[in-house]
Amino acid sequence: MRILAIESSCDDLACCVFEGPDNLLAQRTASQEKTHSPFGGIVPEIASREHLNSISTLVKNTLALLPEDKKKIDGVAVTYSPGLVGSLLVGLNFAKGFALSQNIPFIGVNHLEGHLMSAFLEEKKPQFPFLGLVVSGGHTNLYWVEGVGKRKLLGMTVDDAAGEAYDKVAKILGLGYPGGPILDKLAQLGNPKAVPFTLAKVKKGKYFTSFSGLKTAVFEYVRENKIAENLKNVPIEKSKEALDLIASFQKTVAQSVLRLMLAAYEEFKCPRWVVAGGVACNSEIRKTLQEAATKHKAKLFIPSPKFCTDNAAMIAWVGHEYLKQGIHSDLSLNAIPYEKVDLFA
Ligand code: KG4
Ligand code: ZN
């Protein structure tokens, strides 16, 4: 079954044609990083308008990459939730129109299920059930995953997502958007033990975390030590105080993420851990989780960075699974900006 997949939930627009996890026939992405960087974050209205400008050309160019004997598409998969509603609507409506014009089924895919299943795009694939952690710009969600469409949300951040904290810290240091990759690189030059941040304690329980306290502590540190002012005169690569702060922040985020996974491991004793989403590109998180997995004799599955950040292949993988089972969506499917919270009892 050959599937066209579209992901447009946030600022990236991605399209691919997929015949199975090891057979990604064509893919194209239109990034809006340069557009949003001066704002230090995504401007939703601009994101959806830019998607609208790019989508038909992007899909056409992706289809043009297909060999002559593989041009026929059997189904369409598209992200319908969660995300920025304007951005979601562009991809969703285009996918509906495409499916209608070709008289083929279409399936709406949950973006977070896409991230969780992105581990199957790699050669080394997990088996169900597994403990899954999505760390992205919009979410920090911990799941018990038993299969496609069978997942329970165990807990999450009670305020900022991990990626959001990265982006806001980068913004206050005047470093542009997205902040994660920039801070990750700079963190390598600092001392992670220099600033002793504390891990958040969340009353809701062990599967919950928080990043807003850490973000505020970073902001306070920047203000008290006049770091933003000092950076006007010194390049950040030469500012020991800024580099130490970034390294310490990065270490604390990684420890918070580790703590969530270990809390679930303690309870479920499941030795298969999946970590996905844009923040799973982070070098400290990858290292910290790998060390812990080795220690606990668990297998860690973190996709390569191109499958951690938003991509169409993860949407295609999930859509393919549903369409193979004959499950598809009705053309009346609407975009849903928020994930339905169904906490594990
Ligand atoms: O999954 P994703 O591409 O989009 C969402 O669904 O949100 O994640 C984007 C987030 C951004 O906040 C970005 O700063 C963060 O992932 N990110 C990173 C790294 N690479 C991307 N955060 C920390 N370290 C990185 N290396
Ligand atoms: Zn995402």
Side-chain angles (χ1 to χ4, degrees):
M1 180 179 270
R2 198 170 305 129
I3 288 184
L4 171 76
I6 298 171
E7 153 60 45
S8 73
S9 64
C10 198
D11 58 331
D12 283 331
L13 178 62
C15 176
C16 76
V17 178
F18 175 101
E19 279 189 328
D22 305 315
N23 209 356
L24 205 50
L25 295 175
Q27 54 183 324
R28 281 278 173 129
T29 305
S31 166
Q32 296 183 10
E33 270 180 29
K34 284 202 183 96
T35 309
H36 299 284
S37 187
F39 299 100
I42 300 163
V43 184
E45 168 91 14
I46 298 179
S48 52
R49 283 178 185 273
E50 227 175 86
H51 283 340
L52 203 53
N53 281 336
S54 323
I55 195 160
S56 45
T57 310
L58 188 86
V59 173
K60 233 158 113 183
N61 289 346
T62 309
L63 294 173
L65 296 171
L66 297 173
E68 274 315 311
D69 59 334
K70 296 202 177 232
K71 295 266 187 220
K72 192 179 154 292
I73 303 291
D74 306 305
V76 188
V78 62
T79 310
Y80 79 100
S81 175
L84 302 171
V85 74
S87 291
L88 288 168
L89 282 170
V90 175
L92 181 59
N93 277 324
F94 194 94
K96 285 183 185 178
F98 189 91
L100 203 57
S101 71
Q102 306 293 305
N103 199 20
I104 53 177
F106 106 100
I107 177 88
V109 172
N110 179 295
H111 182 80
L112 297 166
E113 181 161 36
H115 274 308
L116 283 170
M117 302 302 171
S118 61
F120 289 98
L121 297 166
E122 297 294 348
E123 211 179 309
K124 191 182 122 198
K125 299 181 197 324
Q127 278 182 335
F128 296 115
F130 59 76
L131 293 167
L133 193 51
V134 179
V135 273
S136 70
H139 296 87
T140 303
N141 284 5
L142 179 66
Y143 295 92
W144 172 243
V145 185
E146 291 181 341
V148 177
K150 289 186 197 142
R151 66 185 184 285
K152 291 282 183 196
L153 182 62
L154 301 176
M156 65 194 111
T157 173
V158 293
D159 40 54
D160 290 359
E164 205 177 340
Y166 262 97
D167 296 335
K168 286 178 179 167
V169 167
K171 186 175 178 179
I172 197 173
L173 293 171
L175 296 174
Y177 174 87
I182 306 168
L183 292 179
D184 192 1
K185 221 166 143 195
L186 292 169
Q188 313 304 320
L189 309 171
N191 172 11
K193 293 190 181 138
V195 188
F197 292 120
T198 46
L199 289 184
K201 280 202 187 76
V202 178
K203 279 199 194 123
K204 264 185 132 169
K206 60 185 178 179
Y207 299 145
F208 291 81
T209 192
S210 153
F211 291 105
S212 113
L214 173 63
K215 178 193 69 186
T216 309
V218 171
F219 285 12
E220 281 296 305
Y221 192 91
V222 168
R223 195 178 53 81
E224 278 167 18
N225 295 281
K226 301 194 169 44
I227 293 182
E229 283 96 312
N230 297 345
L231 286 177
K232 286 182 188 143
N233 307 315
V234 187
I236 194 155
E237 292 81 0
K238 296 254 158 23
S239 165
K240 184 170 159 31
E241 56 179 359
L243 296 172
D244 285 353
L245 171 70
I246 294 167
S248 305
F249 163 75
Q250 168 138 307
K251 178 105 193 155
T252 314
V253 174
Q255 289 301 319
S256 305
V257 169
L258 171 67
R259 203 165 69 169
L260 281 180
M261 187 56 95
L262 288 182
Y265 178 63
E266 204 175 85
E267 187 86 22
F268 286 79
K269 303 278 181 270
C270 178
R272 288 171 299 280
W273 303 352
V274 169
V275 185
V279 185
C281 295
N282 187 263
S283 60
E284 186 65 25
I285 289 179
R286 296 175 90 92
K287 190 179 110 210
T288 306
L289 268 288
Q290 188 53 64
E291 283 168 5
T294 307
K295 183 174 159 205
H296 294 282
K297 299 194 171 49
K299 279 192 184 146
L300 178 68
F301 302 88
I302 306 189
S304 49
K306 68 174 189 286
F307 292 137
C308 278
T309 48
D310 288 351
N311 64 88
M314 67 185 195
I315 303 304
W317 191 93
V318 176
H320 188 245
E321 290 298 306
Y322 284 115
L323 290 173
K324 258 188 342 197
Q325 295 173 36
I327 300 170
H328 53 89
S329 302
D330 190 86
L331 283 172
S332 63
L333 182 71
N334 207 342
I336 304 177
Y338 297 103
E339 164 87 326
K340 191 175 145 269
V341 178
D342 179 18
L343 276 178
F344 197 53

